[in-house]
Structure formats: structure tokens, C-alpha cells
Amino acid sequence: MTKSSPKGEEGRALIVDDDRSVAQMYRLKLELDGYLVDVATDGEMAVEMARRDLPDIIFLDIRLRTLDGFGVLEALRSNPKTKKTRVVILSNYSHREMGDRVAKPGILDHLIKSETTPDKMTAGITR
């Protein structure tokens, strides 16, 4: 788990990715945007942190250890405290590979990592 607390905190974000270098890159961008950022490196950690810290938005990878991204999303949606938390899927799966699974309520967007720069990741996201 990694935490950071930039000056002028305006929102809380959780990045869920088992690739620490990718998570760090996106974390830095979110910090520059004024977020307090936490990083979870597996699915179970993500669910625990989301329930405890109640982030405003979660950037969620699908392929994770212990519990995949869909399992994380299901756990979040079944808990009243995290049921309405905004989620952006950030994975290497294409839209075709994901199919209807990303059309679930509460998923703001599906971004493909290889096509998403840190600037594109936060474009259009409001707090």
C-alpha cells in the first residue's frame, strides 16, 4: 500500500494495479491534479482500502492477484458504503474482449493502458 497527500487535497483516488511502475506513473498524475492517492496491488487489498478510505474514484485493473477486477467491482457494489463509488477500468483488455462486462452501473469508462497516457486518464473526470 502506498499513500501520498498533496497540498490542497480535493479528492481521494485509489489506483488498483499489480504493476508498481504503472501505478506510480498514474499516481503522480493524480497527485498533480490534487488528489490524495492510495495504491492497492491486489484485489483483496483494494476492497479493504475502498471500504476503509471511501475514495471518490477508483482506477481498477482487471488482471490482479487474489481477486480479479470484476471480483473487486462485485464486492464494492454489494457494500452500501462503496456501492456508488465511481470506477474507471484501466486494463490491457480491449473493448471487444471485455464485451458487456464494462457496461455495468458505476463504471465511468474503460481505458486501455497501452493507449492511455496519464493526461488521458483524468480527462473529463470531475470530482
Side-chain angles (χ1 to χ4, degrees), residues 53-110:
D53 301 330
L54 301 175
D56 299 300
I57 190 165
I58 298 173
F59 293 90
L60 178 62
D61 192 6
I62 296 299
R63 197 177 324 185
L64 299 165
R65 293 183 306 265
T66 68
L67 182 65
D68 71 8
F70 294 114
V72 171
L73 191 58
E74 185 176 313
L76 295 175
R77 295 300 173 246
S78 68
N79 185 307
K81 289 171 61 176
T82 57
K83 185 176 186 170
K84 295 186 180 187
T85 303
R86 299 177 306 157
V87 175
V88 174
I89 300 295
L90 188 59
S91 76
N92 280 319
Y93 289 114
S94 71
H95 295 283
R96 183 178 51 78
E97 290 172 308
M98 296 291 286
D100 294 337
R101 297 179 91 178
V102 295
K104 295 183 180 212
I107 297 179
L108 295 179
D109 205 350
H110 169 216

Side-chain angles (χ1 to χ4, degrees), residues 12 18 37 53 60 101 124 127:
R12 184 175 208 116
D18 58 355
V37 183
D53 301 330
L60 178 62
R101 297 179 91 178
R127 287 175 238 223

Side-chain angles (χ1 to χ4, degrees), residues 10-33:
E10 294 184 30
R12 184 175 208 116
L14 175 61
I15 298 172
V16 184
D17 200 309
D18 58 355
D19 185 327
R20 292 181 191 274
S21 60
V22 169
Q24 176 71 0
M25 176 180 64
Y26 291 127
R27 182 181 68 86
L28 291 173
K29 169 59 175 147
L30 288 166
E31 286 179 347
L32 289 172
D33 287 350

